Amino acid sequence: DTGVSQDPRHKITKRGQNVTFRCDPISEHNRLYWYRQTLGQGPEFLTYFQNEAQLEKSRLLSDRFSAERPKGSFSTLEIQRTEQGDSAMYLCASSSQKKTGELFFGEGSRLTVL
Amino acid sequence: AQSVAQPEDQVNVAEGNPLTVKCTYSVSGNPYLFWYVQYPNRGLQFLLKYITGDNLVKGSYGFEAEFNKSQTSFHLKKPSALVSDSALYFCAVSLLYNFNKFYFGSGTKLNVKP
């Protein structure tokens, strides 16, 4: 399977705990995106990487959120001191520079904060 | 601010009939427009895009969409629906000067009945 993979698929945590999600993009894709999706809504942009550089961050991404892509391959999204409002599906996508707008999404990591 | 509206939460159509899923957008600048589909327990999949050129674009699985600048719309169409087309459809827009940041609509659930 050469698609975008995300881990874990589901995470249940207590309020105040830290969580980390991992995304492995399609290997030849240099662009990587994180989106957040809540029930009944479309995905909301969080951040975007080109290779290892984080080029844009949404204002939705508070100081408790941090994303990295250290070697321009996999990426991690960490949420510190989770709140119940952080409960959502966190989507990762990757794309090639050659195909504008054609994002390949993973199946998502669902976060439930109790 | 950029936004996308999908006015119908749900569209019901009989198999074999034509289908339309509506999308309107509001952007400051020239838009790039996209449709994505989400099947249950699967990641979002790219269907088609409008970047420039012919206003009618064709995509995967027999879908097409028409860009209408005056009505700021990008409706998704298919001449003959299949039961297997039943899924959640998302319209998205990005901008010429920042095409890596996508704004998604809230989605339309398409139900195709046999």
Side-chain angles (χ1 to χ4, degrees), chain A residues 12-25:
Chain A
I12 301 173
T13 191
K14 293 182 180 178
R15 190 175 51 189
Q17 299 294 304
N18 299 343
V19 296
T20 299
F21 299 113
R22 176 180 169 123
C23 172
D24 286 272

Side-chain angles (χ1 to χ4, degrees), chain B residues 5-93:
Chain B
Q6 292 182 242
E8 301 153 318
D9 289 337
Q10 188 165 294
V11 169
N12 298 311
V13 64
E15 187 175 32
N17 284 359
L19 70 87
T20 298
V21 182
K22 295 179 181 176
C23 171
T24 59
Y25 63 91
S26 174
V27 298
S28 52
N30 291 321
Y32 288 165
L33 294 154
F34 307 87
W35 277 100
Y36 281 79
V37 60
Q38 188 172 34
Y39 297 101
N41 299 314
R42 302 287 299 277
L44 279 84
Q45 295 178 29
F46 170 81
L47 265 185
L48 52 78
K49 67 182 178 185
Y50 170 82
I51 302 294
T52 185
D54 194 349
N55 289 345
L56 184 66
V57 293
K58 296 186 185 294
S60 309
Y61 313 121
F63 284 93
E64 58 189 28
E66 185 165 14
F67 170 60
N68 188 318
K69 188 172 183 178
S70 62
Q71 296 186 4
T72 61
S73 67
F74 190 57
H75 301 329
L76 182 70
K77 300 183 180 185
K78 187 172 182 181
S80 178
L82 299 173
V83 172
S84 58
D85 293 330
S86 298
L88 192 54
Y89 290 81
F90 291 96
C91 181
V93 66

Side-chain angles (χ1 to χ4, degrees), chain A residues 95-107:
Chain A
S95 74
S96 160
Q97 202 151 345
K98 296 177 186 176
K99 293 191 173 184
T100 303
E102 294 183 35
L103 303 185
F104 290 76
F105 282 86
E107 294 180 3

Side-chain angles (χ1 to χ4, degrees), chain A residues 56, chain B residues 1-2 27-32 94-101 103:
Chain A
E56 186 159 358
Chain B
Q2 330 312 328
V27 298
S28 52
N30 291 321
Y32 288 165
S94 67
L95 296 171
L96 181 66
Y97 61 82
N98 188 3
F99 57 81
N100 286 296
K101 186 172 181 179
Y103 299 86

